[in-house]
Amino acid sequence: MNQIQTYIAKHKSRFITELIELLKIPSISADPAFKNEVLKTAEAIKTSLQQAGCDHVEICETAGYPVVFGEKIINPSLPTVLVYGHYDVQPPDPIDLWDSPPFEPVVKTTERHPDGAIFARGACDDKGQLYMHVKALEFMTATNQLPCNVKFMIEGEEEVGSANLSTFIKQNHEKLKNDVILISDTGMIANNTPSITTGLRGLSYVEVEVTGPNRDLHSGLYGGAVANPINILTTMIASLHDDSNRITIPGFYNKVEELSKAERAEMAKAPFSIESYKKALDIDDVYGESGYSTNERNSIRPTLDVNGIWGGYTGEGAKTVIPSKAYAKISMRLVPNQDWEEITKLFKTHFENIAPKGVKIKVKPHHGGQGYVTPINSIGYQAASKAYEQTFGKIPIPQRSGGSIPIVSLFEHELKSKTILMGFGLDSDAIHSPNEHFGIWNYLKGIETIPLFYKHFTALSK
Ligand code: BES
Ligand code: MN
Ligand code: MN
């Protein structure tokens, strides 16, 4: 065993209990009822960074939830790694589908996690993954082997769109100055197939409202004679895809980056079993845009999905009613070169254009962000690749992800630095779903791999 493995073996149970304590605080940023808990989590992160060896830690107020900033500057002439993560979590709903309460973490084994996994909201996204960085710092400071400077920026509003983070970044260029940004908030292919995320999709999230008559009506007396907003809304939504499952909004694909045959062939080499994919989701077939594979559909192609739809009567029994209003929340995942604000406008114009007479339409943009792709020839990527190669015994596969971390493109724009996405979660870890979990093996592997990134990055920067 090398030094880091010995350190992990010695402190393993404490690493797990500390994470469990952090997971007990319900830091749900979407629900104002949890405000105190979110703030308490920021305090807990601050304490953990101090204990891990940061020389300076502060809680920076924003117009929303605060950013926890910490740093250890050993020598200004050495490179600086900026670690980003988020301490807020998704709401646990639907709560009935959890096998154990979301904020009472338990350790259980699973098929993919024979060494056990911690089940709790935020276990993987992102408390467990950000805490790997805190423990990696603890190791490096305790054993006097931090090879460069380190800064932490841990935010509390990622799951609600990071609305106040761009102002924070714009106002704190000097404080956040760095040579590379390191994030663990994505996944990898499998425990025996390490991968590094080289792309994220952008996002445009909108809410639409269709209004018909000025009040709910008797569906017998008025049915057939006035526009029913739910009928109209569902017809409009259905028209947003054509028979090939392509999005019909004019101009939507104009700037979409098309990958070359060679790039697509390279992507297709990543191990993937369509049979296990279907089995894990209990579906008899996959679905999506013609001409693209499942892995392409969920990473290099843009999408449009209804995330929620409501209106009319949904209570017990039956009520005969033509509702006055119908609503839907729609997300569009975007790929490089698509601009989220432009796509939001295209959506709004199109949605207003396709509405029939007899209803009024409102489109309310929520939040969004640009996509991201990172080259694999940067020293940051090379350092990460070497680190994984050492701890996994295999060269990691570069892979684009379908998820979004909108702040990453802003980092590049504002701070002019590249982000390296070293995620250790698995797609099956059920982030945002009931029974979210994070493998203990993955957690410890992350702690083992991160210090090697620092080492290689510092060496390659010379
Ligand atoms: N950590 C996720 C994003 C992610 C997960 C990217 C797995 C790649 C692989 C992040 O917390 C998240 O949930 N992002 C949101 C967007 C945000 C604006 C609410 C998303 O992707 O839906
Ligand atoms: Mn996340
Ligand atoms: Mn998330």
Side-chain angles (χ1 to χ4, degrees):
M1 277 211 284
N2 63 30
Q3 204 180 359
I4 174 79
Q5 288 166 336
T6 312
Y7 191 89
I8 292 172
K10 189 167 165 207
H11 299 280
K12 176 180 160 176
S13 65
R14 177 174 55 83
F15 287 178
I16 296 168
T17 26
E18 283 178 11
L19 175 57
I20 285 179
E21 286 310 306
L22 189 62
L23 290 168
K24 285 182 184 168
I25 324 174
S27 49
I28 307 165
S29 49
D31 187 345
F34 291 86
K35 184 173 176 199
N36 286 336
E37 314 294 320
V38 183
L39 296 174
K40 212 174 120 188
T41 310
E43 290 291 342
I45 298 289
K46 179 182 173 190
T47 310
S48 71
L49 285 173
Q50 283 164 333
Q51 285 168 351
C54 280
D55 293 331
H56 165 75
V57 187
E58 62 182 304
I59 292 196
C60 307
E61 298 305 326
T62 70
Y65 286 122
V67 172
V68 187
F69 178 82
E71 64 183 4
K72 186 169 180 70
I73 307 294
I74 56 167
N75 178 348
S77 66
L78 287 168
T80 301
V81 175
L82 173 68
V83 175
Y84 163 86
H86 61 95
Y87 63 82
D88 64 322
V89 301
Q90 284 277 321
D93 311 64
I95 212 145
D96 297 348
L97 297 183
W98 284 77
D99 296 330
S100 56
F103 298 105
E104 294 171 30
V106 290
V107 176
K108 282 187 293 187
T109 57
T110 74
E111 202 184 311
R112 285 192 177 77
H113 297 297
D115 295 341
I118 306 176
F119 282 74
R121 172 56 87 229
C124 178
D125 185 9
D126 180 38
K127 285 174 175 165
Q129 296 219 69
L130 85 83
Y131 210 68
M132 299 180 312
H133 289 269
V134 181
K135 293 299 100 177
L137 175 67
E138 176 194 305
F139 161 74
M140 291 185 286
T141 54
T143 57
N144 219 351
Q145 19 189 317
L146 180 65
C148 60
N149 306 309
V150 56
K151 294 179 178 176
F152 280 79
M153 178 178 122
I154 313 294
E155 71 149 319
E157 298 187 310
E158 197 276 343
E159 297 293 8
V160 288
S162 306
N164 300 295
L165 199 62
S166 63
T167 313
F168 180 79
I169 294 171
K170 286 179 185 147
Q171 291 173 347
N172 290 285
H173 276 197
E174 199 44 44
K175 187 186 209 114
L176 301 172
K177 201 168 179 283
N178 65 79
D179 296 282
V180 71
I181 296 169
L182 188 57
I183 304 183
S184 294
D185 194 22
T186 54
M188 57 178 193
I189 297 174
N191 287 1
N192 57 9
T193 314
S195 60
I196 297 176
T197 304
T198 51
L200 294 163
R201 284 195 285 193
L203 179 70
S204 162
Y205 200 107
V206 297
E207 185 170 323
V208 297
E209 179 189 301
V210 178
T211 307
N214 59 5
R215 59 192 162 87
D216 287 7
L217 301 173
H218 188 289
S219 64
L221 294 183
Y222 290 93
V226 293
N228 175 328
I230 300 182
N231 293 10
I232 301 289
L233 175 62
T234 51
T235 309
M236 287 170 72
I237 288 172
S239 79
L240 296 176
H241 288 94
D242 67 14
D243 292 343
S244 321
N245 276 315
R246 279 174 70 88
I247 295 149
T248 56
I249 299 170
F252 186 86
Y253 290 96
N254 281 1
K255 293 190 177 161
V256 167
E257 169 206 49
E258 297 290 342
L259 268 66
S260 67
K261 268 205 172 114
E263 285 171 303
R264 292 179 67 185
E266 195 53 42
M267 267 190 81
K269 285 188 196 156
F272 176 73
S273 152
I274 196 91
E275 285 317 313
S276 349
Y277 188 83
K278 291 195 282 192
K279 193 166 162 248
L281 301 177
D282 208 357
I283 50 176
D284 57 14
D285 207 353
V286 292
Y287 186 90
E289 186 182 354
S290 303
Y292 293 92
S293 70
T294 295
N295 275 338
E296 291 174 333
R297 287 170 179 168
N298 68 23
S299 65
I300 60 161
R301 298 301 296 166
T303 62
L304 182 150
D305 277 293
V306 179
N307 295 246
I309 182 162
W310 70 103
Y313 184 71
T314 55
E316 280 293 308
K319 179 187 179 199
T320 50
V321 64
I322 292 175
S324 165
K325 284 176 186 290
Y327 307 83
K329 290 186 195 280
I330 296 174
S331 67
M332 288 163 278
R333 296 282 169 173
L334 310 174
V335 297
N337 302 339
Q338 282 185 298
D339 176 76
W340 78 272
E341 293 185 88
E342 191 180 325
I343 292 292
T344 306
K345 276 192 206 127
L346 289 179
F347 175 91
K348 186 173 189 291
T349 309
H350 179 65
F351 212 68
E352 287 164 356
N353 283 346
I354 61 173
K357 280 197 172 146
V359 295
K360 293 184 207 73
I361 303 288
K362 266 191 204 155
V363 176
K364 185 175 127 197
H366 264 273
H367 56 75
Q370 312 295 39
Y372 184 71
V373 263
T374 185
I376 63 169
N377 57 9
S378 70
I379 58 170
Y381 186 90
Q382 291 305 320
S385 181
K386 282 186 168 198
Y388 279 74
E389 193 181 345
Q390 266 175 279
T391 55
F392 286 79
K394 278 183 189 172
I395 297 175
I397 298 173
Q399 201 186 40
R400 290 216 216 168
S401 168
S404 308
I405 311 176
I407 210 65
V408 172
S409 73
L410 202 89
F411 281 147
E412 176 153 80
H413 191 249
E414 288 292 323
L415 305 174
K416 312 281 180 240
S417 32
K418 294 266 173 255
T419 292
I420 304 303
L421 298 157
M422 287 177 57
F424 293 91
L426 301 181
D427 282 355
S428 54
D429 287 346
I431 64 169
H432 294 208
S433 302
N435 303 314
E436 174 178 352
H437 54 279
F438 189 35
I440 287 176
W441 186 90
N442 301 66
Y443 177 51
L444 301 176
K445 205 52 149 181
I447 300 171
E448 184 186 342
T449 309
I450 291 164
L452 291 168
F453 171 82
Y454 282 72
K455 185 178 144 195
H456 294 305
F457 185 74
T458 308
L460 290 171
S461 297
K462 281 188 182 131

